[in-house]
Amino acid sequence: MCGIVGYLGNQSSKDILLDGLKELEYRGYDSAGITVLKDSNFSIYKSVGKLNNLVEKSKNLSVDGFSVGIGHTRWATHGKPTESNAHPHIGEATHIVHNGIIENYQELKKELIAKGYRFSSQTDTEVIVHLFEENLKSSKDTFSAFNKTIFQLDGAYALLLIKKDEPEKIYFAKEGSPLILGTNRETGEQFFASSDSPLIGHVAEVIYLQDGEFGYVDGKNINLFNGAGDEVEQVYKKLPENREIAQKDGYRFFMEKEIYEQSQVVSDTIMGRALDSSIEFDEIDPTIFDGINEIKLCACGTSYHTALASSYLFERISKTRVSVEFGSEFRYKDPLLTKDTLFVSISQSGETADTLASLKMAKNAGLKTLAICNVDNSSIVRLSDYSILTRAGVEKGVASTKAFATQMVVLYMLSLYVAQIRNNIEKERLQKELHTIREIPNTLTVTSKLHEKIKRLSKRYLHGHGFFFIGRDIFYPLALEGALKLKEISYLHSEGYPAGEMKHGPIALADPELFTIALLPQNILYEKTKSNIEELGARDSTICVISPKSFELADDFIRTSSHSHYMLEFFEMMVVVQLLSMEVAIRLQNDVDMPRNLAKSVTVE
Ligand code: M6R
């Protein structure tokens, strides 16, 4: 995910910015840039790839005395990782860095182009700087223009802006993306960053800016306002002292942090795509679906589970035939490929060898190809005709969590998109689904009550001769994913199974040492799944039921919220199985982020 740093003071701002960006490297990025403003002169440097390239490019700049500066590491979302798309973005006399996504950037861009503004990047960010300069023409001062600009932006942002004729100020605003402000009261230096680690060692206390807050610093004062334009109290909090803890934002493991991030990254993934009355994907051409009779979804591991789960949605919602393939199987099965098939590869990394090889086969057979991927410019993205990026940010935990959530929401939206362009969905149904999509981030918020309950319960699931995660319909692939999560980090044997299939064999294993984790949603096949669970209970399997409805015969019970749509239940139960797997693994003292024998990106077959 992108990172921001800012500095105002007498030390070399170049060095402070580059050191700060180094601290944000762990978040992942594909380009970086800085601007230093000293005595009304801008010095700007941008580079693609590693930060060392930026260090090399800016090596001749030396900064003595007072200056201000802003810096950024970019994780591409709108536009490729190129120098022109890297931040800072520039206007006539203004430079800006931005994290987040501006949802209404296309409308704003159109208006600005009509007024004669020229754009040099494909990013959403560039509209902010031109919009600000346009507003400046009709505003009494810079602050009013800045204020007006941020009120015209829809979406998420943490942004820093500096202006040539005000070389002692940094303007800032925060909505939806993190931004932290630190002050050294003795020296008057001001520091900004999008997470704690760049600030450690410079300041002891910081202000964690709240959504809607904005203002400017000028070396003497912090001028901080809320969304209503009223000055607000500056609340300081102590910074953590340890950088490793800072990178994990206080969480015990990256996996835990990533589970907690899901609500935010799913919001980012939806933004600008699930609109008021339609689904839009600017990055694909709708004609890609012309003449298509089948969608073939191909992936490995967790990504395979999103493929399988979404196959239920594609057939149910968009009435389009779907087949699902493991990359490692597909490539050797001499598949029959016809040009009326759209080949969709799903991958977090975009580098998984088997998925990539399968994609190459599909391309060679002349199929149209689409990638659902988290990493722009990865091999799978580069090779595909079109790609839709999930916006999960860097996922460090080997056990995939937020990548699964964002893939799932993209595929859910894609199934609606296909239905929409094929006129296979009624207006009312589409509205209901859009409403559901907008609700998903709420279901992903982890409450301390839920987490504590799962932590306590996990101590009962540290042994046994096996786990069965069971579910029906789209909850079956979720059961597969729950079982994969548990086995890869706890090293306990676990399987995912369709609940209705247990009686065809696996029920022979049932005894008190067989743990069944049952997914029992209320909105789909409730009675049928309930009966399947009862059959296992009658054979004395130890059962943990996850459901919004009480289940008297369960040994353990995790209550989920009552939702009106099964997809909301799906996402809430996904968080439950992720947390349960993680808490079991933590109790077993395993390295949750780097489980034995596994690699994050499987680039060999
Ligand atoms: O990067 P990809 O999504 O293509 O990776 C596929 C699998 O290797 C990956 O999902 C793996 O199964 C994870 N460790 C699951 O947590």
Side-chain angles (χ1 to χ4, degrees):
M1 281 308 237
C2 304
I4 281 189
V5 289
Y7 174 72
L8 175 158
N10 286 316
Q11 296 188 58
S12 163
S13 47
K14 178 186 101 170
D15 295 337
I16 302 265
L17 296 176
L18 290 175
D19 289 349
L21 293 179
K22 190 111 203 95
E23 288 303 324
L24 296 174
E25 268 195 309
Y26 75 98
R27 298 168 66 89
Y29 63 102
D30 37 48
S31 57
I34 55 168
T35 290
V36 170
L37 173 60
K38 182 166 170 49
D39 302 331
S40 292
N41 288 316
F42 283 125
S43 306
I44 181 166
Y45 301 90
K46 299 187 190 190
S47 69
V48 173
K50 290 290 158 209
L51 265 182
N52 284 346
N53 301 341
L54 187 64
V55 172
E56 183 58 29
K57 272 197 154 179
S58 58
K59 69 176 182 213
N60 294 329
L61 176 70
S62 78
V63 189
D64 295 322
F66 182 87
S67 66
V68 301
I70 55 177
H72 192 266
T73 44
R74 175 172 186 260
W75 166 271
T77 54
H78 289 78
K80 297 277 166 207
T82 59
E83 275 191 21
S84 52
N85 286 335
H87 300 215
H89 286 286
I90 62 176
E92 285 285 312
T94 316
H95 288 205
I96 188 174
V97 289
H98 160 235
N99 282 358
I101 294 162
I102 303 303
E103 229 175 307
N104 58 337
Y105 84 101
Q106 281 181 318
E107 299 146 52
L108 294 169
K109 190 169 177 176
K110 241 187 244 157
E111 288 165 21
L112 289 162
I113 288 173
K115 286 181 178 152
Y117 286 88
R118 290 210 166 164
F119 282 74
S120 50
S121 79
Q122 301 156 300
T123 64
D124 51 336
T125 301
E126 198 184 345
V127 297
I128 309 173
V129 71
H130 299 312
L131 183 64
F132 166 76
E133 294 196 339
E134 174 62 16
N135 286 333
L136 208 48
K137 293 179 187 162
S138 57
S139 303
K140 65 176 190 308
D141 55 27
T142 307
F143 185 62
S144 316
F146 183 67
N147 190 347
K148 186 170 176 193
T149 304
I150 57 179
F151 280 101
Q152 286 172 276
L153 304 177
D154 290 340
Y157 49 80
L159 60 91
L160 300 179
L161 177 148
I162 54 179
K163 192 162 163 273
K164 194 176 167 80
D165 59 357
E166 296 184 27
E168 73 299 338
K169 284 189 187 150
I170 299 178
Y171 291 85
F172 62 88
K174 176 208 177 328
E175 178 68 50
S177 298
L179 189 60
I180 307 165
L181 165 56
T183 303
N184 183 325
R185 291 177 215 236
E186 278 166 28
T187 60
E189 289 168 289
Q190 316 277 9
F191 297 81
F192 289 92
S194 48
S195 71
D196 289 337
S197 47
L199 304 171
I200 292 173
H202 293 298
V203 288
E205 287 183 331
V206 292
I207 303 173
Y208 291 94
L209 296 169
Q210 302 300 310
D211 280 348
E213 290 184 348
F214 68 101
Y216 61 95
V217 293
D218 58 13
K220 293 188 204 89
N221 298 307
I222 297 172
N223 304 279
L224 180 62
F225 302 86
N226 64 17
D230 302 323
E231 205 149 341
V232 290
E233 194 196 342
Q234 296 165 16
V235 182
Y236 284 86
K237 296 232 165 100
K238 244 181 122 34
L239 259 188
E241 284 164 12
N242 174 319
R243 283 217 158 90
E244 169 74 356
I245 291 174
Q247 289 193 338
K248 289 183 187 157
D249 292 346
Y251 293 102
R252 295 166 292 172
F253 292 94
F254 279 106
M255 181 184 179
E256 185 176 32
K257 176 170 179 259
E258 287 158 4
I259 292 172
Y260 273 74
E261 278 173 355
Q262 291 182 118
S263 176
Q264 180 61 52
V265 295
V266 164
S267 284
D268 292 345
T269 304
I270 291 168
M271 210 175 275
R273 290 167 170 166
L275 308 184
D276 286 346
S277 53
S278 65
I279 296 281
E280 300 300 332
F281 285 108
D282 295 338
E283 52 276 78
I284 58 178
D285 179 345
T287 60
I288 188 178
F289 293 98
D290 289 356
I292 294 297
N293 291 316
E294 181 185 333
I295 296 176
K296 196 174 272 300
L297 303 168
C298 181
C300 298
T302 284
S303 300
Y304 174 83
H305 296 153
T306 52
L308 194 59
S310 63
S311 69
Y312 289 80
L313 300 174
F314 278 108
E315 299 214 337
R316 184 167 288 142
I317 299 174
S318 48
K319 311 284 175 234
T320 304
R321 189 179 314 128
V322 174
S323 54
V324 184
E325 307 277 358
F326 281 113
S328 53
E329 288 296 312
F330 178 77
R331 59 187 295 195
Y332 296 113
K333 72 191 260 199
D334 297 329
L336 295 177
L337 295 173
T338 51
K339 291 191 181 152
D340 62 349
T341 300
L342 174 69
F343 189 88
V344 181
S345 336
I346 306 166
S347 173
Q348 186 286 126
S349 62
E351 302 296 345
T352 300
D354 287 322
T355 312
L356 184 60
S358 304
L359 167 62
K360 285 180 184 158
M361 278 172 58
K363 278 218 87 146
N364 290 341
L367 270 59
K368 293 189 214 170
T369 55
L370 169 67
I372 312 293
C373 190
N374 196 36
V375 182
D376 197 6
N377 239 18
S378 57
S379 305
I380 288 177
V381 166
R382 287 200 309 271
L383 199 65
S384 301
D385 299 328
Y386 293 95
S387 54
I388 299 177
L389 294 181
T390 52
R391 297 170 183 158
V394 179
E395 190 178 62
K396 288 198 89 174
V398 166
S400 186
T401 51
K402 60 178 182 168
F404 177 81
T406 53
Q407 286 170 349
M408 208 48 235
V409 81
V410 162
L411 286 157
Y412 183 11
M413 290 191 289
L414 191 64
S415 68
L416 289 166
Y417 179 81
V418 176
Q420 179 185 292
I421 58 177
R422 296 191 156 180
N423 288 323
N424 277 340
I425 187 161
E426 286 163 8
K427 239 181 166 185
E428 260 175 32
R429 168 93 192 268
L430 180 60
Q431 285 300 344
K432 190 177 166 214
E433 301 289 349
L434 286 167
H435 175 75
T436 301
I437 287 174
R438 283 191 289 271
E439 279 298 302
I440 294 171
N442 292 334
T443 67
L444 296 171
T445 306
V446 183
T447 62
S448 51
K449 190 172 162 219
L450 175 74
H451 198 161
E452 276 312 311
K453 158 113 198 174
I454 293 174
K455 235 183 233 176
R456 259 186 297 118
L457 198 132
S458 60
K459 62 176 172 292
R460 299 168 62 158
Y461 293 94
L462 308 177
H463 60 290
H465 62 71
F467 285 76
F468 270 95
F469 284 69
I470 59 168
R472 294 189 75 141
D473 201 272
I474 194 167
F475 291 82
Y476 157 52
L478 183 58
L480 287 173
E481 175 59 8
L484 178 64
K485 286 294 81 87
L486 183 69
K487 71 168 76 106
E488 65 184 334
I489 57 176
S490 72
Y491 319 139
L492 295 168
H493 178 76
S494 57
E495 278 185 60
Y497 229 77
E501 284 292 305
M502 291 300 284
K503 62 168 95 51
H504 298 289
I507 205 165
L509 294 169
D511 69 18
E513 295 296 290
L514 178 82
F515 297 136
T516 301
I517 312 292
L519 307 177
L520 180 58
Q522 66 180 354
N523 288 299
I524 202 154
L525 296 176
Y526 174 77
E527 291 300 338
K528 304 257 175 229
T529 314
K530 188 164 172 262
S531 306
N532 299 144
I533 300 169
E534 282 164 358
E535 284 156 14
L536 277 152
R539 272 111 193 138
D540 233 3
S541 169
T542 299
I543 296 178
C544 174
V545 173
I546 304 169
S547 180
K549 288 182 148 191
S550 304
F551 192 99
E552 282 188 2
L553 298 175
D555 298 280
D556 282 312
F557 181 71
I558 300 173
R559 188 180 296 280
T560 48
S561 321
S562 177
H563 295 291
S564 57
H565 195 298
Y566 64 89
M567 284 309 289
L568 297 176
E569 301 195 87
F570 178 97
F571 281 100
E572 192 173 335
M573 289 188 188
M574 174 198 79
V575 174
V576 172
V577 296
Q578 292 169 341
L579 287 173
L580 180 63
S581 306
M582 185 186 75
E583 290 304 334
V584 168
I586 292 175
R587 279 189 187 272
L588 293 170
Q589 299 189 345
N590 295 342
D591 185 343
V592 167
D593 286 335
M594 276 185 278
R596 70 184 185 203
N597 306 337
L598 297 179
K600 183 67 189 160
S601 184
V602 186
T603 52
V604 289
E605 72 167 294

